[in-house]
Amino acid sequence: MKVPQAGAVAAVIVIALTTSACGGEEKAQGTISIGIKFDQPGIGLRETGGTFSGFDVDVATYVAGELGYAPDRIEFKQVYSNDRELLLQYNEVEFVAASYSINDKRKEKVDFAGPYFLAHQDLLVRADDSSIAKAEDLNTKRLCSVTGSTSAENVKKTLAPKASVLELPGYSECLVALQDKLVDAMTTDNSILAGYAARKGNEGRFRLVGLNLSDERYGIGVEKGDKELQGKINAALQKMVADGAWETAVKKNFGPGYAYEPAPKIAATG
């Protein structure tokens, strides 16, 4: 946590004794900063007018509520796939809920609460393109993914090492490249791809190939070593599943046609 300025020390002490919310500077200001994606329909999207929608937004809002923060005290900050660890390491956000797949490499730099969702890597192609039916077909194709994503790494190392991979900052840029035929497919989690395919204006223009190329367990990233916050978030996630709010959020954001996996078991803090 950031150290409060000297002039605010007394206020910080008073607030620390009267609130159950977590955070150092956030306590003094009465807000909590949370990292989410801004460009993923169904997951994390900044809507016109500045409101936010998506499954990760609903999860983050629920967790923040359990930590003592009302929705109007949440400050959402945009994160990209390649800077999520940095925002946590430099205390720019309290936690990150941004389609953040848990893996050993990332656990070297941050700790994870969860997992709270299980997705699978898939491919999105133009609706009139039938030339891609399996991962190996990408070896002669142009593929787009996001810099720093596990999906891009999985393709390059395992699925199609000869594929031409274009890495861009965000999935919205990949969708434009796919639409303009600069690439033949884009890859990430099926939950994200389904959100793009179903978004208004995209209906009938794209399709998911329907491959389960990996298991992606979404976790909430916290600063490395912050076991207290990790434990509180795990407890909040368990409550969200138990009271039905998790399933409600899944159905609201992904629609009735999305074949989602049951809520995964929340890992023990440690």
Side-chain angles (χ1 to χ4, degrees), residues 79-100:
V79 299
Y80 297 94
S81 293
N82 62 342
D83 68 3
R84 289 174 289 204
E85 290 85 12
L86 288 175
L87 265 68
L88 288 167
Q89 290 170 343
Y90 287 95
N91 297 307
E92 293 296 324
V93 295
E94 190 78 6
F95 64 82
V96 171
S99 54
Y100 203 178

Side-chain angles (χ1 to χ4, degrees), residues 34-255:
I34 302 172
I36 63 168
K37 294 293 183 66
F38 277 24
D39 68 339
Q40 292 181 354
I43 296 288
L45 185 69
R46 189 181 190 276
E47 302 279 4
T48 302
T51 59
F52 297 92
S53 67
F55 179 68
D56 280 348
V57 174
D58 290 345
V59 170
T61 300
Y62 188 101
V63 169
E66 291 300 302
L67 295 176
Y69 295 91
D72 62 356
R73 293 172 60 199
I74 298 172
E75 178 189 7
F76 287 119
K77 290 189 176 182
Q78 184 173 20
V79 299
Y80 297 94
S81 293
N82 62 342
D83 68 3
R84 289 174 289 204
E85 290 85 12
L86 288 175
L87 265 68
L88 288 167
Q89 290 170 343
Y90 287 95
N91 297 307
E92 293 296 324
V93 295
E94 190 78 6
F95 64 82
V96 171
S99 54
Y100 203 178
S101 298
I102 301 171
N103 62 36
D104 290 339
K105 182 178 180 180
R106 290 171 176 166
K107 286 195 289 186
E108 294 176 0
K109 298 180 179 179
V110 302
D111 285 329
F112 284 98
Y116 64 92
F117 192 76
L118 175 60
H120 303 286
Q121 183 181 352
D122 199 356
L123 304 174
L124 188 73
V125 299
R126 292 180 292 276
D128 59 357
D129 185 355
S130 59
S131 65
I132 300 176
K134 57 186 183 299
E136 291 80 1
D137 293 335
L138 295 173
N139 280 310
T140 58
K141 299 292 184 179
R142 297 162 298 174
L143 178 71
C144 189
S145 192
V146 168
T147 305
S149 72
T150 56
S151 299
E153 186 176 355
N154 194 28
V155 169
K156 289 187 291 186
K157 287 188 175 181
T158 307
L159 300 174
K162 295 181 180 180
S164 175
V165 179
L166 173 65
E167 294 187 53
L168 295 176
Y171 294 108
S172 294
E173 291 91 335
C174 276
L175 192 72
V176 172
L178 179 60
Q179 173 185 302
D180 293 345
K181 299 185 178 181
L182 299 176
V183 297
D184 303 298
M186 63 180 281
T187 187
T188 185
D189 305 342
N190 54 4
S191 55
I192 299 170
L193 297 176
Y196 277 110
R199 188 153 175 78
K200 185 176 181 180
N202 291 340
E203 302 96 327
R205 301 176 67 182
F206 307 98
R207 65 177 180 85
L208 275 73
V209 176
L211 305 176
N212 286 354
L213 301 177
S214 69
D215 292 335
E216 304 296 335
R217 293 174 173 82
Y218 292 175
I220 292 181
V222 302
E223 185 180 7
K224 186 71 176 176
D226 195 342
K227 301 301 182 184
E228 180 180 1
L229 179 58
Q230 183 188 35
K232 289 179 178 179
I233 294 176
N234 275 337
L237 293 173
Q238 290 168 342
K239 183 178 177 181
M240 187 177 187
V241 173
D243 68 15
W246 181 91
E247 187 170 13
T248 297
V250 171
K251 291 180 177 178
K252 181 186 80 171
N253 290 292
F254 301 126

